[in-house]
Amino acid sequence: MQEKATFGSKIGLIAATVGSAVGLGNVWRFPAETQAHGGAAFLIVYILCVLLLGIPVMLGEFSLGRGMKSDAVGVYKKIAPGKAWWIAGAISVTASYLILSFYMVVSGWTLEYFVQSVTGNLFADSSLTQGLTGIEAQDMKYTQKMQEYIASDNAPLIFTYIMILINLAVILMGVKKGIERLSNVLMPILFVVLVIFCFYAFTMPKFGEGISFFLNPDFSKINMSVVVNALGQAFFSLSLGMGILITYSSYFPSSTKLVKTSFTVSLLDMLVAILIGVMIFPAVMSFGLEDHNFAGASLVFVTLPEVFAQMPGSQVWSILFFLLLFVAALTSTISLAEVMVAFLCDRFGLKRQSSCLIVVLPLFVLSSLCSLSQGSLSSFTIFGKTIFDFLDTFATNLLLPLGAIIMCIYLGWFAPKDYLKRELTNNYSFRSVMTPIVSFIIKWCAPLLIGVVMVSQFI
Ligand code: PHE
């Protein structure tokens, strides 16, 4: 067995963890959900979900990972030898791998859009709309481009493969030289690009209208299903329940202050999500596209290209935006891949190189299936869903909360007495007011609430 890797610096550890958290969930799910479900009212619910459940569950994962210094299954094998709690870890590892298989495809799309922006093809006339102008023609043009870039067979496959190879290169280099170094470079780029966009949005004629379109509070829109959405979004966005935070925190040095780290990561993740809204809506509003569909892929792949097309310097803005999206997606896929790599290294004593290959090879098959399910395999369904949607629903809505619930039940009821407290205070070296609150939430609130959310999706 090789010696356990660690992150080299505090900044690096935060950059890598934030890199995992900040992903497509922040860019295309959060702004659309917020705008559709009551603006600031939704935001308040979301913030409460993060503070009251997200951060405690994150601390649960951190305490297991940093305390036991092992992979998502190994932590349970170490802390509760001979017991079946490792199944929680196995569920998380499975969830992360399944999510990786379709997230890789979406990441491929971001790379494809980046490349098409650089070459200028994204803005070239399409066959359908040659010579036509006006919003409808533009809609048609970018919808056709999306079909071509996402729902055809070959191009998305090629970009998915490139994405897998980039992932392979990074995870092969290891925790410090690969993941940490990459995050240290990419995360600042992401923030700088975001700030540039926000400044630009600020100068737009309809900045105020855009912000109120995004955040105007409407409490009448808050109902049970909106709360369920907010909680689901919080868990997905913070990368909880997938073994990622267990794996990454096993690389934390023992001096890391877990509570502080969890707040920093969660606040940065929220900040990015909100800033993305601040950058998108004033632009959408200023160019008269507020009637557009903001849900899912069409926000970033149809509406925003239309916005960029109307902005002076279209190509530069779209290159910057898809760079941001690509960075967000890449650091997330790497964290997902690392869960399985760590599992294979720690459980089976494999060398990192062999683990990386074992992780990547089946991905070519799984991700190909997911990619083709948008194209020629779209009529092949499992329980009425395409392969892509089936994996998404099964892993995100079922496995992910299940792993999180079992972890909370273990930590709340069965872990060695004061385990959580010891981890949160770095072996009692300081006091933390958060300890009793977090323990209470993990013991009682988290399993119940996550359980309710999980079940409510199926009824
Ligand atoms: N947290 C990432 C996001 O917001 C998504 C993600 C999910 C990343 C699962 C890793 C694992 O998009």
Side-chain angles (χ1 to χ4, degrees):
M1 182 97 70
Q2 299 153 48
E3 203 189 314
K4 194 76 188 158
T6 52
F7 286 120
S9 71
K10 222 190 267 180
I11 297 267
L13 148 183
I14 300 266
T17 316
V18 172
S20 167
V22 169
L24 301 165
N26 304 58
V27 183
W28 82 33
R29 239 176 94 179
F30 178 85
E33 290 266 315
T34 307
Q35 193 275 332
H37 296 130
F42 180 87
L43 187 60
I44 295 175
V45 176
Y46 180 77
I47 292 177
L48 286 176
C49 290
V50 169
L51 290 180
L52 297 180
L53 279 176
I55 290 183
V57 173
M58 183 183 284
L59 283 170
E61 295 203 19
F62 278 177
S63 68
L64 277 175
R66 209 265 310 259
M68 292 298 125
K69 295 238 170 289
S70 193
D71 63 289
V73 171
V75 290
Y76 292 100
K77 293 238 174 202
K78 272 190 173 172
I79 197 171
K83 302 267 168 55
W85 292 107
W86 59 270
I87 291 173
I91 292 175
S92 304
V93 174
T94 312
S96 69
Y97 198 69
L98 296 182
I99 292 178
L100 179 60
S101 63
F102 66 80
Y103 207 91
M104 197 62 95
V105 175
V106 185
S107 311
W109 300 344
T110 68
L111 179 60
E112 186 173 7
Y113 266 79
F114 174 71
V115 171
Q116 302 292 7
S117 305
V118 173
T119 59
N121 280 342
L122 180 58
F123 300 107
D125 265 346
S126 76
S127 55
L128 277 183
T129 55
Q130 219 144 23
L132 297 177
T133 51
I135 287 194
E136 267 168 35
Q138 291 295 310
D139 278 354
M140 238 157 76
K141 169 171 158 182
Y142 289 102
T143 309
Q144 193 197 6
K145 298 252 174 195
M146 182 165 96
Q147 288 289 329
E148 197 181 303
Y149 297 157
I150 288 181
S152 61
D153 280 351
N154 294 339
L157 260 189
I158 293 171
F159 283 99
T160 303
Y161 293 161
I162 298 178
M163 213 57 202
I164 295 180
L165 293 176
I166 299 177
N167 267 267
L168 177 63
V170 178
I171 49 178
L172 268 179
M173 283 191 275
V175 174
K176 219 181 270 185
K177 292 211 181 107
I179 301 175
E180 180 172 357
R181 210 169 47 170
L182 184 87
S183 311
N184 276 341
V185 175
L186 292 187
M187 291 323 282
I189 295 183
L190 183 141
F191 273 91
V192 169
V193 172
L194 197 50
V195 169
I196 296 177
F197 266 106
C198 286
F199 270 113
Y200 188 50
F202 189 67
T203 65
M204 294 209 166
K206 294 206 171 153
F207 178 75
E209 279 118 308
I211 296 296
S212 77
F213 181 66
F214 173 36
L215 289 179
N216 189 29
D218 181 355
F219 285 92
S220 69
K221 289 210 173 137
I222 303 296
N223 55 31
M224 191 51 199
S225 90
V226 168
V227 177
V228 167
N229 267 353
L231 189 62
Q233 168 69 13
F235 268 61
F236 188 78
S237 192
L238 295 175
S239 308
L240 296 175
M242 283 169 258
I244 292 179
L245 299 177
I246 295 183
T247 306
Y248 270 19
S249 60
S250 73
Y251 308 138
F252 288 2
S254 49
S255 58
T256 305
K257 296 194 166 148
L258 299 183
V259 175
K260 205 165 138 196
T261 307
S262 72
F263 272 91
T264 313
V265 171
S266 309
L267 294 181
L268 285 174
D269 183 62
M270 263 197 288
L271 181 71
V272 172
I274 295 170
L275 289 183
I276 298 266
V278 169
M279 111 189 194
I280 288 179
F281 290 108
V284 163
M285 205 73 185
S286 300
F287 293 109
L289 300 179
E290 63 272 20
D291 304 330
H292 273 51
N293 179 4
F294 298 133
S298 53
L299 170 66
V300 286
F301 295 133
V302 178
T303 309
L304 287 181
E306 277 186 59
V307 168
F308 300 141
Q310 296 189 52
M311 279 162 46
S314 314
Q315 206 178 344
V316 175
W317 293 110
S318 108
I319 291 175
L320 279 179
F321 177 76
F322 288 110
L323 174 69
L324 181 153
L325 203 58
F326 166 72
V327 166
L330 176 64
T331 44
S332 293
T333 48
I334 286 172
S335 71
L336 283 164
E338 181 62 19
V339 173
M340 190 57 114
V341 172
F343 167 71
L344 294 175
C345 286
D346 289 357
R347 278 316 76 223
F348 304 101
L350 294 181
K351 286 229 174 69
R352 194 167 180 91
Q353 288 86 331
S354 332
S355 304
C356 292
L357 287 180
I358 298 177
V359 168
V360 160
L361 291 179
L363 258 189
F364 277 104
V365 179
L366 270 176
S367 296
S368 298
L369 289 176
C370 288
S371 180
L372 292 174
S373 78
Q374 305 295 108
S376 55
L377 284 185
S378 63
S379 51
F380 179 83
T381 54
I382 310 173
F383 295 117
K385 289 179 185 299
T386 61
I387 304 172
F388 188 116
D389 292 338
F390 173 74
L391 288 181
D392 186 2
T393 319
F394 178 62
T396 315
N397 300 0
L398 186 70
L399 295 184
L400 196 149
L402 199 60
I405 292 183
I406 303 179
M407 180 196 77
C408 292
I409 294 179
Y410 174 74
L411 280 176
W413 299 87
F414 297 92
K417 194 170 171 305
D418 284 345
Y419 177 77
L420 200 56
K421 189 168 175 187
R422 212 171 51 231
E423 278 303 317
L424 299 189
T425 56
N426 290 0
N427 222 355
Y428 307 111
S429 62
F430 53 85
R431 291 166 73 91
S432 165
V433 279
M434 288 294 290
T435 320
I437 306 174
V438 171
S439 306
F440 179 81
I441 293 177
I442 287 190
K443 188 164 188 168
W444 296 100
C445 315
L448 278 175
L449 286 172
I450 304 170
V452 168
V453 168
M454 195 172 95
V455 173
S456 73
Q457 297 175 85
F458 295 96
I459 48 181

